[in-house]
């Protein structure tokens, strides 16, 4: 997030797109509800009439995967109505001319034909957002899990840049992260393109720095992404170490994934349960769980906080860092002699400019948001205040593309997937919490009553849901939260392995899977 | 303060400056002067219903509620006097008499000890006004999370206000007034059939334990002291601060940290109630390796780690260093992620590492 969570109470206009915040980030959503009580206005764009839409002043029921078209037309209207912030554009951005020229072609009428949102509502949304003194954008996986995920995010940046809604309290572009330390995983360098602290692996200076620190030559080329690595299993990739991830249930195209992991020569999985993924491994190493482990995590607003052990680890479980270090030592590597989580974290701080002012003891109270470049620095709640990381905010010229697969006579319905309030990810954790079943005992397919009637399906009936990659059986739940022609389900239940169906395409830049859009067919079971 | 004519009040004989809008209670709190409260929760709009926080102000005939009274220049305020203390005691006796008993297990909720502590401090006689009781327990609500023991309700409405003002769900409300007051959902039914999201915030603000954490209460009779450990919720990226409650090395419950920088006392159903995966029977307790028969079998750390390392050494030898790939997690602590990338980069000199943010 460019802005802190407390800022969520402060905007005049809130634009939520592709985020089912009341279910996925309920505590963050309370901030928005407070802003609304204070009189803020809210625009919600989402294919489904989610609970957030009920609170909105303007709800845009966009067709799945059509976000770029909507955002282009909003930019068009802001330009036409001269509601852009000329001073901000002059002083802080570059590439504006090409962008403003580009959006002239994309009228709300054009977007209406793609998004299925009335042109008048697109105009209203654009004017509302652009006229805000403080306009803030919030999004989650509904924006990124598309073949055009990067285009979607960039289109949101364009809107914020042209209206000057960045670098101030109550504004910004704010992705809500889905896992408690997904930010920290990136910060720590667990990505193919960056060393810890987002130092690019392709930067020779960063390379020499880490070569000196780690005592060996390291490639200047980026690694491949996990998606490509799965494709390469049994070919160029022969051995994998997977820590704490149930790849098989969470990743798209499950059959492909299982086949990939089975074709490895060597698979080592570290986890707290024998997950579907761990069950395929040659070696399974039991890790200590949350509540048993001291450590650090970084939240969606870049706040670095301590996790603390409350109870003794289960059985013979050990901390992840210890397990990985022990494997390293057995390969004869030096620099793996750590005696505590503290010593590991402090090494991370020493190597990362964004954590340079931090150490284990300083983050005791969790008051720092990175970047914290030195020990005197108070932390950075709001990014881009004086200038952008690379000087000027860059406009990008973006074009709308159709999803990788579009509906057809064989697969006439859009399937979109997500999470539910009571369940988390692949349910390895919430599925084992007593009482959760009382509220969420089983998965269901949310379908519009008309779509159900056309297929002779009643509430609670079983159906077969099929895509070109496979078929699953699931109970239907009739609701007009799903628009006609679009159905919804979550990927949390192993007995409804929805990711057997998904996986039609990937974003060419991030290789994020298009989990949000998949044409399907529905037949009574 | 920037204003030229500085604003001051006299608090228990001491001059104290204040900023516009501050209440007498807030000023006293700042001065570390303790005023008893029951209906007050610093996160909520002051309500002024319990009258326990009353103070004397020169020139005003009756005592005023300090939680709702804003300071004005020159006020002379006394937070305690024999008359006030007597009044508070009587109030507490009336409130306490409505309840079956006052002592409740602290596992019921974060604020559950507030009434009991005050009754003790004031040596209030809880039997003095017996026979009048407001609120009826709602025994039929079979939800596994929230006990609705309204026999202990003192009508401070903190639950209703936290649900509206903090959670924004408006799931519960007040029916009737006076001794017939009852906290209820829209259709007087179960919470499951209301707009309740089981965030638990009403439980944690209740000052008597009338609303209580059923999951934590399972451990009421377990031996051992309650230990609180400050940590961060394991679920989404908001990063709510929590206190883990444990008893004799068992994790028995979770309470929100009222001073949590990301959540200020809020949690959702997952953070509040979905903690018992930690000490679940399904947990992996020892390393496993695949045996000759192709099955996973238990083994020692030494054997498992050797086998893990051997496989990577083997892959490097036969297929080169690019053939080894690491997948880190967005749910493990940063130390695990750091080690994973160090293992790949220092071990094989490649950047063959990613995490699960893409899925
Ligand atoms: S649990 Fe949360 S949503 Fe339900 S009544 Fe209590 S405060 Fe309201
Ligand atoms: S309590 Fe709920 S909102 Fe807070 S971090 Fe946990 S899952 Fe997220
Ligand atoms: S605390 Fe002031 S009236 Fe209750």
């Amino acid at each position: 997030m460019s802005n802190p969570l407390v800022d969520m109470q402060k905007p005049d206009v809130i634009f939520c797109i592709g985020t089912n915040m009341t279910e996925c980030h309920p505590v963050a959503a309370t901030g928005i509800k407070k802003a609304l009580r204070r009189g803020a206005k809210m625009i919600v764009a989402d294919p489904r009439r989610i609970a957030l839409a009920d609170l909105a002043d303007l709800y845009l029921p966009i067709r799945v995967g059509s976000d770029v078209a909507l955002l282009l037309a909003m930019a068009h209207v802001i330009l036409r109505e001269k509601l852009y912030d000329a001073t901000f554009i002059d002083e802080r951005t570059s590439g504006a001319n090409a962008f403003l020229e580009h959006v002239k072609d994309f009228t709300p009428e054009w977007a209406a034909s793609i998004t299925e949102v009335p042109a008048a509502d697109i105009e209203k949304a654009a004017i509302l957002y652009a006229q805000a003194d403080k306009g803030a954008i919030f999004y989650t996986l509904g924006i990124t899990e598309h073949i055009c995920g990067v285009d979607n995010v960039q289109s949101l940046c364009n809107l914020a840049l042209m209206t000057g809604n960045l670098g101030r309290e109550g504004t910004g572009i704010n992705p809500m992260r889905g896992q408690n330390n997904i930010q920290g995983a990136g910060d720590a360098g667990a990505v193919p393109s960056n060393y810890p602290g987002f130092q690019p692996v392709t930067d020779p200076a960063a390379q020499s720095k880490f070569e000196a620190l780690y005592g060996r030559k390291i490639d200047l080329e980026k690694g491949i992404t996990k998606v490509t690595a799965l494709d390469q299993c049994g070919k160029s990739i022969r051995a994998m170490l997977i820590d704490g991830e149930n790849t098989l249930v969470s990743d798209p195209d499950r059959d492909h994934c299982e086949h990939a992991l089975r074709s490895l020569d060597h698979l080592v999985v570290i986890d707290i349960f024998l997950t579907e993924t761990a069950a395929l491994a040659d070696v399974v190493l039991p890790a200590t769980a949350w509540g048993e482990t001291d450590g650090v995590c970084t939240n969606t607003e870049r706040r670095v906080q301590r996790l603390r052990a409350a109870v003794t680890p289960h059985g013979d479980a050990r901390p992840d860092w210890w397990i990985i270090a022990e494997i390293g030592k057995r390969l004869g590597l030096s620099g793996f002699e750590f005696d505590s989580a503290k010593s590991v974290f402090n090494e991370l701080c020493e190597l990362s400019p964004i954590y340079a002012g931090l150490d284990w003891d300083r983050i005791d109270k969790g008051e720092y948001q990175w970047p914290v470049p030195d020990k005197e620095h108070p932390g950075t709640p709001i990014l881009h205040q004086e200038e952008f990381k690379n000087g000027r905010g860059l406009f990008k010229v973006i074009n709308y593309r159709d999803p990788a697969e579009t509906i057809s006579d064989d697969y006439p319905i859009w399937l979109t997937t997500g999470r539910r309030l009571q369940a988390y990810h692949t349910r390895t954790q919430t599925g084992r919490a007593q009482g959760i079943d009382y509220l969420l005992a089983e998965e269901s397919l949310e379908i519009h009553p008309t779509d159900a009637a056309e297929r002779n399906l009643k509430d609670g009936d079983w159906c077969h849901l099929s895509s070109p990659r496979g078929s699953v059986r699931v109970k239907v739940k009739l609701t007009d939260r799903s628009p006609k022609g679009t159905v919804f389900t979550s990927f949390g239940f192993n007995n409804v392995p929805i990711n057997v169906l998904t996986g039609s395409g990937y974003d060419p830049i991030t290789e994020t899977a298009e989990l949000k859009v998949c044409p399907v067919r529905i037949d009574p079971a | 303060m920037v204003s030229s004519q500085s604003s001051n009040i006299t608090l228990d004989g001491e001059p104290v400056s204040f900023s516009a809008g501050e209440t007498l209670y807030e000023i006293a709190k700042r001065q570390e002067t303790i005023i008893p409260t029951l209906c007050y929760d610093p996160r909520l709009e002051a309500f002024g219903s319990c009258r326990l926080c009353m103070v004397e102000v020169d020139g005003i005939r009756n005592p005023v509620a300090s939680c709702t009274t804003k300071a004005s220049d020159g006020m002379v305020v006394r937070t305690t006097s024999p008359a006030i203390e007597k009044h508070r005691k009587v109030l507490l006796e009336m409130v306490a008499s409505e309840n079956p008993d006052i002592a409740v297990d602290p596992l019921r909720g974060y604020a559950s000890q507030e009434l009991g502590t005050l009754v003790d401090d004031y040596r209030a006689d809880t039997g003095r006004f017996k026979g009048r009781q407001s609120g009826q327990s709602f025994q039929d609500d079979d939800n596994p999370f929230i006990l609705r023991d309204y026999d202990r309700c003192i009508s401070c409405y903190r639950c209703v206000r936290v649900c509206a003002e903090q959670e924004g769900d408006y799931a519960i409300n007040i029916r009737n007034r006076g001794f017939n007051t009852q906290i209820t959902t829209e259709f007087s039914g179960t919470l499951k059939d209301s707009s309740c999201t089981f965030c638990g915030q009403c439980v944690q603000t209740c000052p008597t334990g009338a609303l209580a954490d059923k999951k934590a209460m399972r451990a009421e009779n377990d031996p051992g002291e309650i230990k609180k450990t400050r940590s961060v919720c394991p679920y989404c990226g908001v990063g709510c601060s929590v206190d883990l409650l444990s008893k004799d090395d068992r994790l028995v419950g979770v309470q929100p940290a009222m001073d949590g920088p990301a959540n200020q006392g809020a949690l959702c159903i997952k953070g509040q109630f979905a903690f018992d995966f930690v000490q679940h029977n399904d947990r992996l307790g020892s390393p496993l390796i695949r045996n000759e028969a192709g099955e996973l079998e238990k083994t020692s750390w030494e054997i498992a780690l050797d086998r893990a390392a051997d496989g990577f050494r083997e892959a490097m030898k036969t297929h080169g260093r690019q053939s080894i790939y690491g997948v880190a997690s967005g749910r493990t602590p940063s130390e695990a992620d750091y080690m994973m990338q160090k293992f790949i980069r220092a071990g094989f000199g490649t950047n063959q590492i990613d995490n699960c943010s893409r899925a």
Side-chain angles (χ1 to χ4, degrees), chain B residues 146 163 167 169 171-172 196-200 202:
Chain B
I146 298 178
C163 188
E167 173 62 12
D169 276 344
I172 44 179
C196 172
T197 58
F198 293 94
C199 71
C202 52

Side-chain angles (χ1 to χ4, degrees), chain A residues 48 54 113 124 192 306 333 341 384 508:
Chain A
R48 297 191 301 137
D54 298 342
S113 70
K124 262 192 232 156
R306 286 264 291 279
L333 305 176
H384 321 302

Side-chain angles (χ1 to χ4, degrees), chain B residues 23 25 137 201 219 227 253 281:
Chain B
T23 63
Y25 180 81
S137 277
Q201 299 208 57
K227 186 179 101 181
N281 285 338

Side-chain angles (χ1 to χ4, degrees), chain A residues 174-197:
Chain A
N174 301 289
M176 311 293 307
R177 311 303 303 260
Q179 300 173 7
N180 81 326
N181 197 34
I182 197 71
Q183 181 72 50
D187 296 358
V191 282
S193 49
N194 295 324
Y195 289 113

Side-chain angles (χ1 to χ4, degrees), chain B residues 297-343:
Chain B
E297 72 175 26
K298 285 189 186 170
T299 187
S300 68
W301 273 105
E302 280 309 307
I303 294 176
L305 288 167
D306 283 346
R307 173 87 167 262
D310 287 347
F312 293 119
R313 196 181 296 110
E314 189 57 36
M316 180 154 66
K317 219 169 32 193
T318 28
H319 299 284
R321 49 193 188 87
Q322 300 289 350
S323 71
I324 296 144
Y325 201 86
V327 181
S329 169
R331 282 178 286 166
T332 54
S334 296
E335 295 74 34
D337 300 309
Y338 176 74
M339 279 307 246
M340 191 66 139
Q341 69 83 37
K342 184 169 186 180
F343 175 71

Side-chain angles (χ1 to χ4, degrees), chain A residues 92-355:
Chain A
R92 309 246 348 235
T93 71
S94 62
N97 289 343
F99 172 74
L100 296 176
E101 198 50 45
H102 175 68
V103 301
K104 280 187 183 152
D105 296 341
F106 302 105
T107 62
E109 290 70 27
W110 164 82
S113 70
I114 296 171
T115 60
E116 296 166 18
V117 174
D121 284 350
I122 299 177
E123 301 214 1
K124 262 192 232 156
I127 292 169
L128 194 56
Y129 173 72
Q131 282 182 335
D133 174 35
K134 297 180 209 158
I137 296 173
F138 299 92
Y139 70 90
T140 43
L141 300 179
I143 277 293
T144 49
E145 282 182 354
H146 289 285
I147 55 161
C148 51
V150 169
D151 291 353
N152 286 346
V153 173
Q154 189 59 56
S155 303
L156 290 171
C157 292
N158 287 341
L159 276 193
L161 285 173
M162 84 186 287
T163 53
N165 274 314
L166 270 174
R168 286 180 295 127
E169 184 179 79
T171 66
I173 307 176
N174 301 289
M176 311 293 307
R177 311 303 303 260
Q179 300 173 7
N180 81 326
N181 197 34
I182 197 71
Q183 181 72 50
D187 296 358
V191 282
S193 49
N194 295 324
Y195 289 113
F198 301 98
Q199 303 171 77
V201 298
T202 50
D203 172 6
Q207 182 197 32
S208 344
K209 171 175 168 183
F210 279 86
E211 284 182 343
L213 288 162
Y214 290 171
R216 70 160 296 147
K217 289 231 141 295
I218 303 175
D219 296 344
L220 197 56
E221 294 79 52
K222 289 183 194 173
I224 57 177
T225 65
K226 189 184 84 179
V227 167
T228 312
L230 282 171
D231 276 339
Q232 284 298 319
C233 281
K235 296 173 224 153
S236 69
I237 299 296
R238 314 300 295 221
M240 252 192 205
L241 176 57
I242 300 181
D243 184 9
E245 201 211 355
N246 196 4
T247 311
L248 211 55
V249 183
S250 64
D251 278 33
D253 201 347
R254 179 166 174 169
D255 287 347
H256 166 74
C257 195
E258 174 159 355
H259 178 78
L261 295 179
R262 280 187 190 284
S263 56
L264 288 167
D265 301 342
H266 186 55
L267 174 62
V268 180
V269 172
I270 305 171
D271 213 323
I272 62 172
F273 294 113
L274 190 65
T275 60
E276 291 82 0
T277 308
L280 299 177
D282 300 292
V283 184
V284 182
L285 302 168
T288 54
W290 171 83
E292 301 170 343
T293 315
D294 288 324
V296 175
C297 63
T298 303
N299 79 352
T300 192
E301 52 170 356
R302 297 165 282 105
R303 184 184 296 283
V304 188
Q305 306 192 93
R306 286 264 291 279
L307 297 154
R308 291 181 187 81
V311 292
T312 316
H314 175 81
D316 212 3
R318 303 284 166 88
D320 306 78
W321 63 263
W322 180 90
I323 299 171
I324 304 166
E326 286 300 312
I327 303 175
K329 283 191 220 163
R330 279 168 173 74
L331 288 172
L333 305 176
S334 61
F336 283 80
E337 295 79 19
F338 294 95
D339 59 3
S340 61
K342 174 176 176 171
S343 57
V344 181
F345 181 73
N346 286 346
E347 177 171 308
L348 166 63
C349 293
E350 282 161 26
L351 309 182
S352 320
I354 56 171
Y355 282 12

Side-chain angles (χ1 to χ4, degrees), chain B residues 23-132:
Chain B
T23 63
L24 298 180
Y25 180 81
E26 286 162 344
I27 298 168
K29 178 110 198 246
R30 193 152 50 69
Q31 295 301 110
E32 290 171 23
T33 299
I34 294 167
I35 300 177
T37 61
L38 267 180
C39 68
Y40 183 76
D41 176 328
R43 299 168 301 158
L44 305 177
E45 274 167 46
F47 193 55
S49 73
C50 77
R51 314 298 298 172
L52 214 59
C53 68
M54 58 180 46
V55 295
E56 291 172 348
V57 178
D58 273 6
I60 302 180
R61 208 153 114 223
N62 291 319
V64 299
S66 61
C67 69
T68 51
T69 307
K70 295 209 167 40
S72 60
D73 198 22
M75 265 186 177
V76 178
V77 180
R78 271 176 308 281
T79 64
T80 181
S81 74
I84 287 227
E85 294 305 330
K86 183 160 170 247
H87 199 89
R88 286 179 180 152
K89 183 168 175 174
V90 173
L91 276 174
L92 278 168
E93 286 173 339
M94 287 168 68
V95 167
S97 302
E98 291 185 24
N99 286 15
D101 50 32
I102 298 304
V104 293
D105 195 291
L107 287 173
R108 284 194 173 220
Y110 175 85
S112 62
Q113 304 305 300
E114 282 185 20
L115 177 62
T117 307
L118 285 171
V119 164
D120 284 352
D121 287 354
Y122 278 83
R123 298 205 176 82
D125 173 1
T126 59
R128 195 161 154 209
F129 300 94
K130 262 282 170 290
R132 309 166 53 163

